[in-house]
Amino acid sequence: MNKVMSNKWVIAIYIFPALLLVGVLIFIPLILSAYYGLMEWDGIGDMKFVGLENYITAIQDLKFWDSALHSFLLAVFSTLSLAGYLAVSMILASKIKGADLLRKIYLIPMLLSSVAIAQLWIKVFNPANGMLNRILMAIGFENPPAWLANPDIVLYAIFIPILWQYAGFYILIYYAALKNIPETIIEAARIDGASPLQIAYRIKLPLIKGVVKVTIVLAIVGSLKYFDLIYVMTGGGPNGASEVMASYMYKLAFSTNEFGYGSAVGFLLLIITLIVTVIVRKITADKDEIQY
Amino acid sequence: MKRKAVTLLLSVVAIVLVLAGCSDSESSNANSDDGNSKTIDFMHLWPEGSSAEHNRIVNEIIEEYESENEGVNVELEVLSNEQYKDKIKVLSTSDELPDVGMTWAAGYMEPYVEGDKYASLDDVVESEELNGQFVSGTTEAFSVDGTSYGLPLELNIATVFYNKAIFEEHGLEAPETNEEFHNVVQTLEENGVTPIALGNKDRWTGSLWYMYYADRIGGSDLLTNAINRETSFEDPALVQAAEEVQTLVDMNTFNDGHNGLSDQEAKSMFMNGQTAMYLIATWDLPNYTTNEDVPQEFRYSVGYFDFPTVDGNGDKNSYVGGPGVGLFVADNSDVKEEAKDFTKFFVQKWGDKSVSEAGVIPATKVDAESLDLPQMYVDVLDDLNNANNLTLFADVQMSSDTAEVHLNQIQALFGGEVTPEEFAKAHEKALSEEE
Amino acid sequence: MNRIGYIILYIFLGIVGVFQIFPLIWLFLFSLKSNSEIFAGSPFTLPKEWLWENYATVWEGGIGLYFWNSVWITVVAIILTALFASMATFAITRMQWKLNKLVLGLFMVGLMIPIHSAIIPLFSMFLNVNLIDNPWSIVITYTAYNLPITMMILLGFYYTLPREIEEAAIIDGCSVHRMFFRIILPMTAPVLSTIIIINMIYNWNEFVFVNTFISSDEYKTLTVGIQNFIGQYMTDWGAIGATLIISLLPILAAFIFFSNKVVEGISSSAVKG
């Protein structure tokens, strides 16, 4: 057994294609972008080596930390919302009527491109004609807020479409994980008299713990580098109130001709994500992966 | 069992080979410049779907050029505005700009000029065919240190468009002074009509308001001088202009949540008769004249007026505006002469065609008499002829990082997050850091 | 659980369902309206005039070629991603070697790179090897950038596969390759369907890479078709809506197909397990 499963050649063959692609197409650009971060470069003329200056500037840049805070909030929200997705998935995976149809319906938003989702929610949030404010006014709110224009609430407003957009993605993963649990285990628990809640919490949850941990990492990493909807819906505004790390990086590199500095910010984004991920992995670490 | 491993390896090798094979054939195509035929790569930002007329005119000009110049091919790539900007940026990092492309003026093009990416077009501007053809001020916006690097294609000025039907209904007339303007706003507001549509998510839209107040209060050179560092941005007139903007905001002049709305959304409020006024540049003229998709009734009811004077100050013939896009030729192009020749040809053909067929006000002189144009075009062209000054859009004048500060400050100003003094101070700081 | 509990549950599920399905209806109505109606009216009013010509406009824009490019690029990238990711995950989780945690870590770092940091270095790399304006640059980029997330999703499932299966297979004299292709891959069919859906959506809707690496019309994909309607000063939103609907239909069909597979796969693997 051990001999077969530790054959170096086989391992190399299995790892090689993926490692090659990721190494060449992700790691080389990554190293290059860290290198550009050492340059003063507008992306047009000549480069000038400035050492760690860009990184030092970034660390002292209040706008960068503002955007980091916004990204971090987004990560916290996204992680918390996983609990909701998981609960819905559990309901869908249990044998209730219509679960199959409901699951498909729940996944629809994730099929749409971000362009479409952003346009939809811009219309929902429109202060005068928008659906949300019309409903609020109909039920008696006199002055519903201008969701995307108010710097105090814009970030929270944007979180709603993000929550909505990703519902399908996580429900899909959880659903597949839950369906992967052998029926016999659940049947046995049921015969022992466990209630559905008990089965969910005591049996299903521990069995899909590995998947849950992975989704936590995905949610955090995805949020910290999140860009699409925010950029289309607010452009990071008003006055930076919804700027996140990735949109800040994009603006620096592509709009304001500070390509060197933008690359440094992009690399810091990666470092921050890495640190947060390592911490989260440590917190959720488990000595032995669950097996059955 | 070994067979599986072999198949697997083979398939990986096959993929690599396919890639290599494809790239080989690509590289042999790419150099089709040798021999007799030359290829000019041309990138523009008028996709067929959204700018059908622009797109068609470009294709016509290219066709005409190719038929007149045996052996020259023009290869097109068309992108939408935002994608175009991003792609140019990527291409410039690898020194791969197209032979001919579109550029914006002043602040946008400066780094490209300093980085030696654009070829000098002095010889084209001063050529027999084009000399004296451009409206004055337009080529200057595409010049750095007296050398032209771009050929302007359009010229726009910002004016206040208003809905005559709404004005009539409330017994209002186009205001001449800021006082009258305030009265108009107040009357409309009291009668439950949102006076002005503004989509300040795009930020340059709010900048127009500030710029006009700066122009009227401080004179037509003040803002430009402050940007050029000849005076301070903390000049009392520039602070007062910011105060005027906030006065308007406090009067509920603009639609709710303007800082979160795009210009497109604001425009549609105006075009659906939900607001009485809308400040925009003349690229919007087709919507109020010839665009068949807009109800005729609405088009007939739109008029425009020049920005009012403030406390007797200001010249109504001074405008905020500027040339939109222009053509550049890449300095490292291997068909530079052909490319220059093509741009010359393009500009000559573009002028009349663009105004009569696409409703563009071109940067070259137009004989309004000889063309059958809607009245509003004739008026605007007239205004342009009588213009005493044209102040280039502030975010175009400034370098891109100062422009970013300006635009963010505009949002903060409209959102009441900064005082006029803080607004001026932030600009002064950004501008002085740049020196 | 009692009856009232179920009713409350269904009401809750129903509300969530409405919340999730309304974009489809909205998008459909949107695709039949004119610009002014899209911006002024409520999103759910029926169009005053049903502008089916929005669809004609889109179709005349030469969307057919884009469509085909989208299909083959998406499919090839999915196959490569699913195969390579499964192989690598298998080696990392099931085989015994020292560096597996490190290699896994490398793949995870690949998850974290912001795409706008990568795009300029990637462009210059492709330029050097002459892969600019070549659809294969898109295929391998999609594969590479989807590998980390695909592997993460597979990971949780591979960890839970019972060891006994491998042991039994090896005792029977089965090679690793046979075990992987004949036993492990079929067993992971449900999660494979899941990652196919996810990859499909990512590849189908992606446009930053296509816009950057492709310049010839003949290689562009559907998402670029949308760009056609975004103008310098004017944007034809109705046509964009129609493009979105047209591009949504095939992916919706494929989604429903693979979505059923998520369930089917399980029952078959449960028999084997």
Side-chain angles (χ1 to χ4, degrees):
Chain A
M1 167 79 188
N2 282 346
K3 214 173 122 199
V4 180
M5 294 305 277
S6 56
N7 183 327
K8 293 251 154 40
W9 278 107
V10 176
I11 293 172
I13 290 174
Y14 276 68
I15 288 287
F16 180 74
L19 200 59
L20 176 76
L21 281 169
V22 170
V24 172
L25 297 177
I26 299 184
F27 275 88
I28 294 180
L30 185 65
I31 293 162
L32 279 172
S33 100
Y35 164 78
Y36 292 145
L38 302 172
M39 302 288 160
E40 188 187 312
W41 189 30
D42 56 8
I44 301 163
D46 295 327
M47 283 191 216
K48 194 178 125 203
F49 182 80
V50 291
L52 289 175
E53 200 183 296
N54 284 329
Y55 293 94
I56 294 165
T57 316
I59 286 168
Q60 296 165 340
D61 182 353
L62 282 180
K63 275 180 154 178
F64 171 68
W65 288 113
D66 248 6
S67 69
L69 175 69
H70 298 154
S71 293
F72 188 73
L73 281 174
L74 206 61
V76 172
F77 290 137
S78 306
T79 312
L80 292 179
S81 56
L82 290 179
Y85 300 147
L86 184 58
V88 172
S89 313
M90 289 232 183
I91 297 170
L92 292 180
S94 65
K95 287 177 173 159
I96 64 163
K97 266 189 201 146
D100 196 45
L101 179 70
L102 281 171
R103 178 173 51 93
K104 282 176 190 145
I105 290 174
Y106 286 5
L107 302 192
I108 283 173
M110 78 180 282
L111 299 178
L112 299 174
S113 67
S114 292
V115 185
I117 294 173
Q119 285 311 320
L120 167 65
W121 284 90
I122 284 171
K123 273 155 204 91
V124 172
F125 282 131
N126 186 302
N129 304 321
M131 214 178 325
L132 184 58
N133 278 2
R134 282 192 181 180
I135 294 171
L136 286 177
M137 282 193 269
I139 59 174
F141 284 91
E142 297 227 328
N143 270 319
W147 300 93
L148 300 179
N150 185 333
D152 298 328
I153 51 177
V154 60
L155 199 64
Y156 305 96
I158 283 195
F159 181 66
I160 297 170
I162 297 176
L163 177 88
W164 175 85
Q165 177 186 23
Y166 279 94
F169 178 81
Y170 291 109
I171 290 175
L172 187 64
I173 295 175
Y174 288 147
Y175 184 83
L178 289 164
K179 279 287 174 186
N180 214 21
I181 299 173
E183 204 58 40
T184 46
I185 296 180
I186 294 164
E187 209 47 54
R190 201 169 288 144
I191 291 166
D192 288 350
S195 73
L197 272 181
Q198 278 172 325
I199 293 177
Y201 193 73
R202 295 274 168 78
I203 296 174
K204 289 182 180 169
L205 192 59
L207 283 175
I208 63 161
K209 202 158 65 179
V211 175
V212 172
K213 278 190 217 165
V214 166
T215 55
I216 291 175
V217 172
L218 288 181
I220 289 171
V221 174
S223 310
L224 290 179
K225 64 170 195 180
Y226 195 76
F227 176 80
D228 293 17
L229 275 193
I230 294 183
Y231 189 71
V232 183
M233 287 179 68
T234 66
N239 191 19
S242 61
E243 198 86 86
V244 289
M245 285 193 282
S247 65
Y248 188 52
M249 183 257 145
Y250 170 81
K251 271 190 192 168
L252 289 171
F254 284 84
S255 316
T256 67
N257 290 331
E258 293 167 279
F259 190 74
Y261 186 41
S263 299
V265 167
F267 193 70
L268 283 179
L269 190 171
L270 182 121
I271 299 291
I272 291 174
T273 313
L274 197 59
I275 293 170
V276 174
T277 311
V278 169
I279 293 172
V280 169
R281 297 268 301 171
K282 279 267 170 339
I283 294 172
T284 59
D286 213 9
K287 284 214 182 71
D288 39 79
E289 293 293 343
I290 196 93
Q291 299 240 347
Y292 48 85
Chain B
M1 299 310 121
K2 283 257 159 59
R3 233 179 36 224
K4 278 283 177 195
V6 176
T7 347
L8 198 67
L9 260 183
L10 276 181
S11 55
V12 172
V13 172
I15 289 162
V16 174
L17 282 182
V18 167
L19 292 181
C22 284
S23 55
D24 274 353
S25 60
E26 274 313 296
S27 59
S28 53
N29 288 341
N31 291 334
S32 52
D33 291 349
D34 45 35
N36 298 327
S37 84
K38 302 210 172 191
T39 302
I40 301 173
D41 288 321
F42 176 32
M43 263 171 81
H44 74 73
L45 41 67
W46 293 313
E48 193 189 346
S50 59
S51 320
E53 283 79 22
H54 293 66
N55 189 287
R56 185 177 46 76
I57 294 171
V58 171
N59 290 343
E60 279 172 18
I61 295 177
I62 289 174
E63 223 168 273
E64 216 176 313
Y65 185 77
E66 284 175 338
S67 69
E68 280 182 27
N69 293 270
E70 199 74 11
V72 179
N73 264 318
V74 179
E75 195 101 341
L76 263 184
E77 181 177 359
V78 188
L79 292 165
S80 64
N81 198 8
E82 195 107 323
Q83 263 57 52
Y84 179 87
K85 279 187 178 160
D86 281 0
K87 182 135 191 185
I88 284 288
K89 185 80 206 199
V90 175
L91 293 174
S92 83
T93 58
S94 290
D95 226 351
E96 285 285 312
L97 289 179
D99 300 311
V100 179
M102 300 271 174
T103 180
W104 288 263
Y108 175 88
M109 68 183 285
E110 253 165 54
Y112 290 90
V113 172
E114 278 160 23
D116 296 323
K117 301 292 179 202
Y118 291 173
S120 158
L121 295 177
D122 276 347
D123 46 342
V124 180
V125 173
E126 284 153 22
S127 67
E128 208 181 311
E129 296 93 329
L130 291 182
N131 199 3
Q133 286 299 303
F134 289 103
V135 177
S136 72
T138 54
T139 47
E140 284 81 347
F142 283 93
S143 298
V144 175
D145 298 330
T147 309
S148 295
Y149 292 95
L151 304 177
L153 295 179
E154 354 160 50
L155 177 59
N156 294 295
I157 51 171
T159 57
V160 184
F161 290 92
Y162 70 109
N163 190 322
K164 288 190 245 176
I166 297 180
F167 268 53
E168 232 160 78
E169 195 184 321
H170 297 98
L172 297 168
E173 270 174 37
E176 299 273 328
T177 66
N178 199 34
E179 244 181 4
E180 288 174 23
F181 181 57
H182 281 183
N183 279 336
V184 167
V185 166
Q186 219 161 5
T187 313
L188 290 168
E189 215 272 322
E190 279 162 11
N191 287 294
V193 179
T194 307
I196 295 168
L198 170 67
N200 208 25
K201 183 171 99 182
D202 293 326
R203 307 182 295 181
W204 53 264
T205 41
S207 174
L208 296 180
W209 286 95
Y210 176 73
M211 286 189 69
Y212 262 123
Y213 271 119
D215 177 279
R216 296 299 188 255
I217 296 167
S220 52
D221 293 332
L222 183 64
L223 188 67
T224 308
N225 287 342
I227 293 170
N228 295 339
R229 308 312 300 138
E230 280 160 39
T231 54
S232 163
F233 209 100
E234 289 176 273
D235 188 288
L238 291 176
V239 177
Q240 199 199 328
E243 276 166 21
E244 289 292 344
V245 167
Q246 287 195 327
T247 309
L248 286 187
V249 174
D250 292 340
M251 290 170 72
N252 283 330
T253 306
F254 305 105
N255 46 291
D256 280 342
H258 47 263
N259 264 351
L261 283 191
S262 66
D263 174 53
Q264 173 97 41
E265 289 168 280
K267 189 198 308 290
S268 61
M269 288 179 85
F270 176 66
M271 292 182 58
N272 282 293
Q274 291 173 319
T275 69
M277 289 173 273
Y278 174 51
L279 174 61
I280 199 69
T282 44
W283 58 66
D284 245 25
L285 280 177
N287 279 338
Y288 315 126
T289 51
T290 51
N291 186 348
E292 299 284 338
D293 294 339
V294 179
Q296 200 175 43
E297 194 193 332
F298 173 78
R299 280 184 276 149
Y300 281 156
S301 68
V302 174
Y304 76 93
F305 59 83
D306 295 334
F307 203 88
T309 55
V310 179
D311 301 331
N313 293 324
D315 173 2
K316 290 184 76 172
N317 286 333
S318 172
Y319 294 95
V320 169
V325 290
L327 293 173
F328 73 82
V329 171
D331 197 46
N332 68 353
S333 162
D334 41 6
V335 286
K336 200 148 116 187
E337 288 317 307
E338 288 78 6
K340 281 184 178 180
D341 189 58
F342 171 67
T343 55
K344 191 196 290 175
F345 184 84
F346 191 97
V347 171
Q348 283 172 276
K349 298 285 168 187
W350 175 256
D352 285 358
K353 269 192 181 177
S354 66
V355 63
S356 54
E357 293 168 34
V360 174
I361 297 195
T364 39
K365 286 173 187 159
V366 177
D367 183 9
E369 310 273 299
S370 69
L371 297 165
D372 180 27
L373 294 173
Q375 186 56 38
M376 206 182 264
Y377 276 91
V378 178
D379 293 344
V380 167
L381 288 168
D382 209 40
D383 285 341
L384 273 171
N385 282 336
N386 297 328
N388 295 328
N389 170 60
L390 185 66
T391 307
L392 195 56
F393 301 118
D395 58 319
V396 178
Q397 275 193 58
M398 296 171 179
S399 73
S400 52
D401 38 344
T402 314
E404 186 65 22
V405 173
H406 167 69
L407 295 168
N408 276 339
Q409 283 295 317
I410 285 289
Q411 266 187 338
L413 184 70
F414 276 83
E417 289 175 64
V418 291
T419 63
E421 288 77 17
E422 287 164 351
F423 173 84
K425 192 171 257 165
H427 279 81
E428 180 60 27
K429 183 165 166 273
L431 286 163
S432 58
E433 269 169 14
E434 200 178 283
E435 277 179 281
Chain C
M1 234 197 324
N2 56 35
R3 176 162 298 220
I4 296 170
Y6 267 109
I7 293 173
I8 292 172
L9 183 65
Y10 273 104
I11 290 175
F12 168 74
L13 291 174
I15 290 172
V16 177
V18 169
F19 204 52
Q20 301 297 88
I21 205 168
F22 86 122
L24 264 193
I25 300 160
W26 160 79
L27 192 61
F28 180 67
L29 293 174
F30 180 101
S31 72
L32 294 167
K33 290 180 183 177
S34 68
N35 260 9
S36 64
E37 233 186 310
I38 285 167
F39 284 101
S42 148
F44 287 100
T45 47
L46 294 177
K48 273 182 229 141
E49 281 175 80
W50 295 66
L51 297 175
W52 293 102
E53 58 259 41
N54 283 344
Y55 283 86
T57 316
V58 168
W59 202 251
E60 281 155 18
I63 208 171
L65 181 65
Y66 296 158
F67 194 93
W68 164 239
N69 286 334
S70 271
V71 170
W72 83 259
I73 289 176
T74 301
V75 168
V76 174
I78 288 176
I79 293 172
L80 293 180
T81 313
L83 179 66
F84 293 166
S86 295
M87 283 163 53
T89 314
F90 174 72
I92 287 171
T93 58
R94 313 306 290 186
M95 308 212 32
Q96 286 131 23
W97 47 303
K98 281 193 198 119
L99 294 176
N100 64 348
K101 290 278 176 217
L102 177 78
V103 172
L104 177 62
L106 285 179
F107 282 115
M108 282 183 86
V109 172
L111 200 62
M112 299 169 189
I113 186 170
I115 161 171
H116 287 101
S117 282
I119 199 121
I120 285 177
L122 267 180
F123 181 86
S124 83
M125 284 164 58
F126 283 138
L127 192 69
N128 284 328
V129 296
N130 250 319
L131 273 178
I132 287 299
D133 206 19
N134 181 327
W136 284 97
S137 64
I138 301 297
V139 172
I140 57 174
T141 311
Y142 285 1
T143 308
Y145 279 78
N146 286 340
L147 271 173
I149 193 167
T150 307
M151 287 177 62
M152 288 304 121
I153 297 168
L154 287 175
L155 207 62
F157 290 84
Y158 272 80
Y159 276 133
T160 59
L161 290 177
R163 287 265 175 220
E164 293 80 20
I165 293 179
E166 286 155 27
E167 281 162 18
I170 287 165
I171 289 165
D172 285 352
C174 187
S175 81
V176 177
H177 309 303
R178 193 183 170 90
M179 181 170 77
F180 175 70
F181 283 101
R182 291 289 163 79
I183 301 173
I184 304 285
L185 268 191
M187 275 187 76
T188 57
V191 66
L192 278 178
S193 306
T194 307
I195 59 164
I196 285 173
I197 294 174
I198 289 168
N199 270 284
M200 180 172 73
I201 295 164
Y202 281 5
N203 296 348
W204 192 260
N205 289 331
E206 202 283 332
F207 72 94
V208 176
F209 288 131
V210 180
N211 255 319
T212 316
F213 302 146
I214 298 296
S215 47
S216 308
D217 245 7
E218 53 186 312
Y219 302 133
K220 288 188 173 176
T221 61
L222 264 182
T223 40
V224 175
I226 294 171
Q227 303 298 324
N228 190 17
F229 301 102
I230 301 175
Q232 194 188 1
Y233 303 124
M234 225 64 81
T235 295
D236 188 349
W237 286 105
I240 288 181
T243 316
L244 288 172
I245 287 282
I246 291 178
S247 70
L248 184 67
L249 291 178
I251 200 173
L252 189 65
F255 161 69
I256 289 170
F257 175 78
F258 283 107
S259 182
N260 289 333
K261 288 278 171 216
V262 175
V263 191
E264 277 173 30
I266 315 283
S267 34
S268 63
S269 77
V271 175
K272 278 181 204 152

